[in-house]
Amino acid sequence: MMNQHILIHDIIGEHGERVQNLKRYYPFFCLTNMSFSQYREGRFEELDMGYIVMALLRFFIDKNNFQEQGVTYEEYKEFLIELIKRDFRAPLSEEEGVELASYVFEKITNGGKPFTYEYFDPADRVKKSIRVKYFDSRFEEDEVVYTVTSEGIEFYLDTKEVKEGSDINVAQLLLEKMIKSQNFKGGTDVVRRINNEVRRLNAKRNEVLTLLSADVFQGVKAFEEFVETGIRWFADEQKMFNKNKELLEKTLERAKQDSVQALEEIYRLDMELKKAIQKHSELLSACTELQKRTDEAIEQAKLSRLRTTFDFKEAMSLLMQEDKPELLSLFAEPLFGLNTRKLFSFSVIDDMLLMAPEKTEVAEKIEKDVEVTDYVYEDEIEDRRITGNFRFFIWSLFEALKERESFTLKEWNDALETRLGEELFRNGDYYTFLIHLCQKKEYEVEAFMSKPDTFLEGIMAEIMKEAEFEQYRNYEFKVIMPEEPQDTLRLLKVFEVSNVRFERSRQ
């Protein structure tokens, strides 16, 4: 009886979730049922819509993820016409190519409407519909650009992973789209997929290490393959991790303010993402150690193959076994044409005869040790300069926080430029200070005076001990990144920095 109850619960309770997992396949099979036999009196009947959809998904993933840009209609049209001419050997005139691209685009976008899939939900005993599409559009700099949706990426990944790029990067593109669409539960599943890929790479690293200890040559070959297919995208993956982490932090802040119901799912996704970032960093450290072990193994193999002596009898036996007397030239040729003439300049003889030796040895004069106390090393000069410049920037920042509760970097820059002029923006320490300052989102003076976490907090903790800065020891402030990525400042027409905002939370 219990088993029967569980069976019925699984059928009814899980049906909705199973349909949600199946929805990503629905547009593909709708499109593959479409035939080109009715188009242009069947002239292009040999075209395969399934292949075209797969090719377009791969093209959009490459443009959106690997190149981080949208696809214009002209780029789509150029790609599709080239694909049809190359892969189907179809002769197309310019007019026919334009019309065919428009016809295919109308079909894959379903005329700008999502594909609708209806199903019966046994839990609610009603018919429901699911809307799904592979391609979406948006305005970008007064131009319509097209992107692949999370359903399109999920479908493509289910059919075959993208081997020309990083699987982790493609999964993170899917994660970004799910965070923006507020599908946090699906995002958690994507992060778990990322963790599985990290575990796979870690297992592959262990296999390379084992093979390296058994056979250096096979191990080096396996290592090169591992680098090519596994770890060459580490920098891009780390960049994508940071991007998604910031996006999720902003989403979490907005959710707290709006009291969103999915707050628990956001927290769960945030925890999974932090675990993924930690595991990815550990994998990077392990791969760095693998690189060192590989270099050491190669060096050891080179030394072990060097011979300190040469056995002529053994070499002669090998020549006799091979029956190749012409190889004897390898032994004889180096002995011919040796330059045996030795030249010695007569002027050197004269110098030797005329040089008078010292009659007595001159004792070394030992002077009293004098300790040099005024010598300053170059790195000490750099440290003094950095500390001095940082001291001024810190003082200026707290003075601004004292006067105003909130202000932007542009407003602070204007005040500094009035005092120091444009020469400020030619000072490299200014940009270094901003980079260190943006490492944390919140600063509490009392906290970092007792235990500084970063390099900048260490400098600030020392400065705050001075009597001049005593008035700021209770301050707390936040560094808030701009919501729009294009909100940046152009300095000296060369440098570009984000227009961050500073907010004082306690004085």
Side-chain angles (χ1 to χ4, degrees):
M1 192 70 179
M2 181 63 70
N3 291 338
Q4 184 73 10
H5 175 75
I6 294 173
L7 175 63
I8 296 174
H9 177 269
D10 288 346
I11 293 174
I12 297 176
E14 296 180 359
H15 182 71
E17 186 175 350
R18 294 184 187 280
V19 172
Q20 290 291 335
N21 291 332
L22 287 171
K23 70 177 183 179
R24 67 184 71 122
Y25 299 94
Y26 180 70
F28 176 78
F29 289 109
C30 287
L31 292 168
T32 53
N33 288 333
M34 188 202 77
S35 173
F36 284 90
S37 59
Q38 303 299 320
Y39 177 74
R40 288 266 184 166
E41 299 179 353
R43 183 180 173 187
F44 300 103
E45 190 174 2
E46 73 277 6
L47 299 184
D48 183 355
M49 193 61 174
Y51 173 74
I52 292 174
V53 171
M54 286 292 191
L56 288 173
L57 284 172
R58 181 65 185 87
F59 172 67
F60 272 75
I61 288 173
D62 183 81
K63 280 285 188 179
N64 296 160
N65 182 41
F66 302 139
Q67 301 183 33
E68 295 185 355
Q69 62 185 37
V71 178
T72 63
Y73 183 81
E74 289 299 319
E75 291 174 329
Y76 149 79
K77 181 177 69 176
E78 182 181 349
F79 173 79
L80 181 67
I81 293 174
E82 181 184 357
L83 178 141
I84 292 173
K85 288 181 178 179
R86 181 189 66 239
D87 298 339
F88 295 99
R89 310 289 184 186
L92 284 175
S93 66
E94 184 177 351
E95 181 181 355
E96 289 174 336
V98 171
E99 291 182 1
L100 184 58
S102 176
Y103 178 77
V104 172
F105 191 78
E106 181 74 15
K107 295 298 181 184
I108 65 173
T109 58
N110 198 27
K113 299 178 296 182
F115 292 88
T116 304
Y117 173 65
E118 293 188 350
Y119 72 99
F120 175 72
D121 188 345
D124 297 335
R125 299 183 184 276
V126 294
K127 272 196 171 184
K128 294 184 177 180
S129 62
I130 295 176
R131 297 157 59 87
V132 56
K133 55 184 177 179
Y134 285 163
F135 304 98
D136 207 348
S137 62
R138 68 170 186 267
F139 276 99
E140 192 174 281
E141 297 180 358
D142 298 329
E143 185 179 26
V144 180
V145 295
Y146 300 91
T147 58
V148 62
T149 64
S150 59
E151 290 89 357
I153 297 174
E154 281 187 291
F155 166 71
Y156 193 85
L157 291 179
D158 283 347
T159 56
K160 189 177 187 296
E161 297 290 350
V162 182
K163 296 303 179 186
E164 293 81 358
S166 164
D167 296 339
I168 295 177
N169 268 350
V170 176
Q172 289 206 79
L173 174 66
L174 178 59
L175 174 62
E176 179 185 353
K177 290 183 177 295
M178 285 189 168
I179 293 174
K180 289 181 178 179
S181 63
Q182 297 187 358
N183 183 4
F184 305 113
K185 185 177 180 182
T188 303
D189 294 334
V190 172
V191 176
R192 287 170 182 162
R193 182 188 300 176
I194 292 174
N195 284 331
N196 289 334
E197 178 65 14
V198 172
R199 279 193 290 270
R200 185 190 70 81
L201 290 174
N202 202 30
K204 183 67 176 176
R205 182 196 69 86
N206 293 332
E207 292 175 7
V208 173
L209 193 59
T210 303
L211 186 59
L212 197 63
S213 60
D215 187 336
V216 174
F217 298 102
Q218 291 298 324
V220 171
K221 184 178 179 181
F223 173 74
E224 291 174 351
E225 181 183 351
F226 178 57
V227 170
E228 184 66 22
T229 59
I231 64 176
R232 59 183 288 197
W233 298 284
F234 264 136
D236 294 336
E237 291 167 359
Q238 201 67 37
K239 180 180 177 182
M240 285 290 291
F241 270 126
N242 294 334
K243 181 179 178 182
N244 281 328
K245 185 173 179 293
E246 290 182 3
L247 178 61
L248 188 59
E249 286 177 354
K250 292 178 181 178
T251 305
L252 184 59
E253 289 179 5
R254 287 196 295 268
K256 288 178 180 178
Q257 295 173 359
D258 301 338
S259 300
V260 176
Q261 296 292 330
L263 198 59
E264 183 178 348
E265 292 182 359
I266 301 176
Y267 275 119
R268 190 179 295 111
L269 175 57
D270 184 51
M271 292 298 295
E272 288 292 334
L273 185 58
K274 288 178 180 177
K275 290 179 185 177
I277 294 173
Q278 178 65 26
K279 290 179 180 178
H280 191 266
S281 299
E282 291 173 358
L283 177 62
L284 176 59
S285 302
C287 289
T288 304
E289 182 64 25
L290 177 62
Q291 175 72 65
K292 294 179 181 178
R293 295 284 294 274
T294 304
D295 294 340
E296 291 173 0
I298 294 173
E299 188 68 23
Q300 187 64 32
K302 288 179 179 179
L303 292 174
S304 63
R305 293 178 66 86
L306 292 175
R307 290 195 173 191
T308 55
T309 59
F310 186 80
D311 192 340
F312 284 91
K313 289 184 178 180
E314 183 183 357
M316 183 62 68
S317 299
L318 292 174
L319 290 178
M320 291 173 66
Q321 291 175 10
E322 295 287 336
D323 194 21
K324 293 181 180 179
E326 63 272 13
L327 294 179
L328 287 170
S329 61
L330 297 176
F331 298 98
E333 284 180 355
L335 302 176
F336 293 105
L338 294 176
N339 184 11
T340 58
R341 295 181 61 195
K342 297 186 181 296
L343 303 178
F344 196 82
S345 175
F346 288 105
S347 62
V348 176
I349 298 175
D350 293 340
D351 292 340
M352 293 171 62
L353 295 174
L354 296 175
M355 185 177 66
E358 293 286 346
K359 293 182 179 180
T360 58
E361 293 185 0
V362 179
E364 181 182 359
K365 185 178 180 181
I366 301 177
E367 298 180 354
K368 186 177 180 181
D369 292 339
V370 179
E371 183 179 358
V372 180
T373 57
D374 58 346
Y375 185 79
V376 181
Y377 294 95
E378 292 183 3
D379 58 341
E380 293 178 338
I381 297 175
E382 295 291 327
D383 288 342
R384 291 178 184 176
R385 190 203 74 237
I386 293 172
T387 303
N389 286 337
F390 276 27
R391 186 183 187 280
F392 172 76
F393 295 140
I394 292 168
W395 175 82
S396 301
L397 178 62
F398 277 93
E399 280 291 298
L401 289 170
K402 180 180 177 181
E403 295 176 2
R404 301 177 61 181
E405 186 174 338
S406 176
F407 57 90
T408 63
L409 178 62
K410 183 180 185 305
E411 294 169 339
W412 189 43
N413 280 352
D414 292 342
L416 291 175
E417 187 177 359
T418 303
R419 179 179 298 178
L420 302 176
E422 281 193 350
E423 288 300 318
L424 165 69
F425 305 123
R426 295 187 176 90
N427 188 339
D429 290 340
Y430 164 77
Y431 302 99
T432 305
F433 176 77
L434 291 181
I435 291 171
H436 282 286
L437 188 63
C438 293
Q439 283 183 343
K440 294 187 67 174
K441 305 298 182 185
E442 296 184 11
Y443 288 88
E444 184 179 346
V445 177
E446 289 182 346
F448 67 65
M449 283 188 67
S450 58
K451 188 179 179 182
D453 291 333
T454 63
F455 171 76
L456 178 61
E457 285 189 343
I459 294 179
M460 293 172 70
E462 291 298 321
I463 293 175
M464 288 296 167
K465 295 177 182 178
E466 301 177 15
E468 183 181 351
F469 290 85
E470 184 178 358
Q471 55 182 319
Y472 307 123
R473 292 176 186 172
N474 294 324
Y475 274 49
E476 293 180 11
F477 67 94
K478 296 180 180 179
V479 181
I480 303 172
M481 301 300 293
E483 294 185 359
E484 298 296 331
Q486 61 267 26
D487 187 6
T488 58
L489 305 177
R490 195 78 173 176
L491 305 178
L492 300 178
K493 299 180 180 180
V494 176
F495 306 105
E496 189 170 357
V497 296
S498 298
N499 187 22
V500 300
R501 173 174 290 276
F502 305 98
E503 287 190 2
R504 187 189 70 226
S505 52
R506 195 177 76 171
Q507 187 174 7

